[in-house]
Amino acid sequence: MTTRIDTVRLGGQDGPEIGVQGFGAMGISEFYGDTDEAAARDTLDAALEAGVTLIDTADVYGSGANEEFLAPFLAQHRDEVTLATKFAIERRADDPHYRAIRNDRAYIRQAVEGSLRRLGIETIDLYYMHRHDPEVPFAESVGAMAELVQEGKIRYVGLSEVTGAELREAYAVHPITALQSEWSLFSRDVERSAVGAAAELGVTFVPYSPLGRGFLTGAFADASKELSSGDFRAYQPRFSGENAVRNAALLAPVHKIAADHGATAAQVALAWVQQRATVHGLTVVPIPGTRKRTRLEENAAATRLKLTESELAELEPIASQVAGDRYPDMRSTATARE
């Protein structure tokens, strides 16, 4: 029988009870190469068996295909799942490279109706602004999301990739339940301001890419030579050229600690993220993604791994030594606006 993970309240005592680890569904539809659909659906079943109940998607993943993939699962398990999706990154069918950030009221209303239709549900539990356009005031964007709450189309408002100051500004318009940004042993930009603001406001922090897009699993010796051309990581700075080799060498203490616990490198990396809750005094629900049941079970087991103070100290220097940015173009990230 699968041991279920512990639970927390999303956004405080008024929020839904969810597993302390969530599931990022992005890779099922795009970015990491071909997907075995049957295996991916089995992985979703494994998530619920383990108590992983926050399922995260976005309208941009597969240009809506990810939401459509989740629809049958939601139809069968709607009462067991807290469903999060996102808007703000516009794509075009006639140009695979086109990306634009849209936070205007009209676009938000168009986007939510599309997501509801593809997901086959009446209400989105947690609706995120995927990226922030500084040219659009939060009074307009978050104000529009607040209207969706009043209309019953969404239950809770979330933001992604915002600074601490931006989170406070948005919160003044409407309570923000969750902040989703990249946070891992490789990426600690959020600790500059966003984490402190989230703790102050009682906002749940949802780290995406808590495994550094797979780098922290220890799977790569030289990622620049090991990734296929169909894998978007092949074009990410941390996976490219000399950066890839340098970053792989940084994992030596992760492997050592994993061996000491009889755990995997991935579990150590996830445990580190999970323990940020205690370090910073806020609720933390990371959303690692996978398409395999065995990896899902491995990830969930990481919630029961506790690292010692000396082990945390060994891991502390890693982020400052990482070679390469999180993305080839950092302009739409909170880091660029700090």
Side-chain angles (χ1 to χ4, degrees), residues 33-67:
D34 295 336
T35 293
D36 180 328
E37 183 171 320
R41 293 202 178 281
D42 183 55
T43 301
L44 289 172
D45 291 338
L48 286 189
E49 291 166 15
V52 175
T53 55
L54 176 66
I55 308 298
D56 182 274
T57 182
D59 59 4
V60 72
Y61 301 158
S63 297
N66 199 250
E67 291 178 325

Side-chain angles (χ1 to χ4, degrees), residues 25-36:
M26 180 186 80
I28 291 174
S29 298
E30 195 176 13
F31 305 109
Y32 293 102
D34 295 336
T35 293
D36 180 328

Side-chain angles (χ1 to χ4, degrees), residues 206-228:
V206 180
Y208 73 78
S209 296
L211 292 172
R213 297 176 180 81
F215 212 125
L216 289 164
T217 66
F220 304 105
D222 184 349
S224 63
K225 298 178 180 178
E226 297 164 348
L227 292 170
S228 70

Side-chain angles (χ1 to χ4, degrees), residues 30 164 187 194 264 269 333:
E30 195 176 13
S187 300
T264 65
T333 68

Side-chain angles (χ1 to χ4, degrees), residues 212-274:
R213 297 176 180 81
F215 212 125
L216 289 164
T217 66
F220 304 105
D222 184 349
S224 63
K225 298 178 180 178
E226 297 164 348
L227 292 170
S228 70
S229 59
D231 191 315
F232 91 114
R233 293 174 295 183
Y235 309 99
Q236 301 296 303
R238 293 178 178 177
F239 289 81
S240 303
E242 292 183 4
N243 288 353
V245 177
R246 288 176 58 189
N247 291 335
L250 295 177
L251 299 183
V254 179
H255 290 297
K256 173 184 173 295
I257 293 168
D260 290 342
H261 283 274
T264 65
Q267 288 174 324
V268 171
L270 288 172
W272 181 89
V273 175
Q274 206 79 62

